[in-house]
Amino acid sequence: MLRRLIPLHREAIALSSAVLVAVSLAACSSQIAASTPAPSTLASTSASASVTSTPETRTVTNAEHDLVFHVVDGKLPALVLDAGGGLSSSYWKDLAPRLAKATGSKVITYDRAGEGESDEVSGPWRVENAVSDLEVGLKELGVTKDVVLVSHSIAGEVATNFVNKNPGWVSGAVLVDANVPEFFTDEMLTAFEPVIEEQRTALLAQESTKKNRQLLAVMVDYAPVHRVFHKLSWPQDVPVTTIVASETPFVDSPEAAKLWRDAQARFAQAGPNRKHVVAENTSHEGIVTERPDLIADAVDDVLKTIR
């Protein structure tokens, strides 16, 4: 399919930053559409929850760079919300307090290195470094077990590597239109190599901004790095729900969108304790504000499974 996709849709794929951003960094520049959410199981319990939703901001140092974490205190399991690339912890500003009030759980949001208020780090972006940052941050916050990861876009790579490196630390996860290993086939990565080079050239011609520097950092060794990611698998004993935006990251390419949906479905079918949810009428970037009820219900399901 990709052999036909590339010549037929070269212009749409090569020139659309949404394609690259979706597979590496979730762009935050487009306007997020508002929608009326359906009632949520968690929302119905929020009035009786006694936990405060006022976050405490903590700065954690790892490998000589500072990372900013925001913590709403509560019980375990702790919910760790990790936004896509180019997006800061503010991505969760409405959902985080909602989850805290409804579940009584400790809720943690943070800015990965180079995002939001956290320090930039020179050199290529490496998921191993992102995992190390999260490990150090959670240890500093005293959360070394009973974690539920809620991960969007590229944060799916952080979640997959984290859960494999730290058996027993993660009790469950919700992947929100997130990168999963099944998508990054050799054929797909080979197809994207010229696309990434074109994007890199275009970014180098632009003003050097924090966001552009992050994009460029992710592009370094993109194909070999993601071939390694493709070989990973999610642990069979950790419950996980995948929520897939109906629009997918690939607005301009039905073929690429299908590959994304198929990969998400294969991931969900690859083991027990996995659920697959399609969020109708949602976009890759806006899914958290467009259907917070689905994410809240998925978190609720995971908590019921592990408590």
Side-chain angles (χ1 to χ4, degrees):
M1 179 180 293
L2 274 178
R3 290 189 183 91
R4 299 209 322 261
L5 182 152
I6 295 306
L8 289 177
H9 297 273
R10 168 65 67 187
E11 183 176 359
I13 293 178
L15 299 182
S16 172
S17 62
V19 173
L20 172 60
V21 166
V23 190
S24 54
L25 298 173
C28 60
S29 58
S30 66
Q31 184 177 3
I32 296 177
S35 64
T36 303
S40 167
T41 302
L42 289 180
S44 66
T45 64
S46 61
S48 61
S50 59
V51 66
T52 176
S53 59
T54 303
E56 175 191 4
T57 298
R58 297 275 299 273
T59 300
V60 175
T61 302
N62 183 38
E64 300 184 346
H65 61 271
D66 289 342
L67 302 148
V68 174
F69 285 74
H70 306 285
V71 185
V72 178
D73 199 18
K75 61 187 177 183
L76 298 179
L79 309 179
V80 178
L81 280 53
D82 199 353
L87 299 168
S88 70
S89 54
S90 64
Y91 183 65
W92 308 103
K93 64 183 180 64
D94 295 323
L95 186 60
R98 174 177 177 168
L99 293 174
K101 289 179 180 179
T103 66
S105 288
K106 184 188 295 288
V107 176
I108 299 169
T109 62
Y110 76 110
D111 298 328
R112 287 192 308 277
E115 311 286 6
E117 299 177 82
S118 292
D119 288 347
E120 290 187 75
V121 177
S122 61
W125 186 85
R126 291 292 184 260
V127 69
E128 296 85 358
N129 296 335
V131 169
S132 174
D133 286 343
L134 184 55
E135 289 170 343
V136 169
L138 292 180
K139 287 176 181 177
E140 183 73 17
L141 298 175
V143 180
T144 57
K145 63 177 182 178
D146 268 356
V147 165
V148 172
L149 298 172
V150 183
S151 307
H152 170 249
S153 196
I154 197 175
E157 297 184 34
V158 181
T160 305
N161 280 269
F162 187 96
V163 73
N164 275 282
K165 185 181 176 186
N166 299 286
W169 199 335
V170 177
S171 300
V174 176
L175 302 182
V176 185
D177 218 33
N179 293 7
V180 294
E182 283 76 358
F183 180 72
F184 295 91
T185 64
D186 188 71
E187 191 174 14
M188 173 61 79
L189 290 169
T190 299
F192 270 102
E193 284 177 344
V195 178
I196 292 169
E197 182 57 31
E198 290 173 20
Q199 290 290 330
R200 190 185 73 84
T201 301
L203 284 170
L204 287 172
Q206 298 175 13
E207 179 185 358
S208 179
T209 64
K210 194 172 187 179
K211 180 180 176 181
N212 285 351
R213 289 191 292 273
Q214 281 298 99
L215 282 166
L216 287 166
V218 170
M219 291 178 190
V220 178
D221 299 325
Y222 187 85
V225 164
H226 284 83
R227 286 190 176 96
V228 173
F229 178 54
H230 181 61
K231 296 177 181 178
L232 293 181
S233 59
W234 191 266
Q236 298 290 318
D237 61 340
V238 180
V240 58
T241 294
T242 59
I243 302 177
V244 186
S246 57
E247 189 176 87
T248 82
F250 303 96
V251 179
D252 299 324
S253 174
E255 290 89 346
K258 184 178 186 304
L259 292 174
W260 180 265
R261 293 190 193 97
D262 290 348
Q264 300 286 341
R266 289 198 307 276
F267 174 86
Q269 295 164 2
N273 304 317
R274 301 189 189 189
K275 294 184 179 180
H276 180 66
V277 178
V278 177
E280 298 296 343
N281 302 313
T282 58
S283 64
H284 177 74
E285 298 170 29
I287 187 171
V288 168
T289 54
E290 292 159 355
R291 292 301 305 274
D293 57 298
L294 286 182
I295 301 170
D297 285 342
V299 170
D300 192 30
D301 285 344
V302 170
L303 291 175
K304 287 177 180 177
T305 300
I306 64 182
R307 277 178 172 167

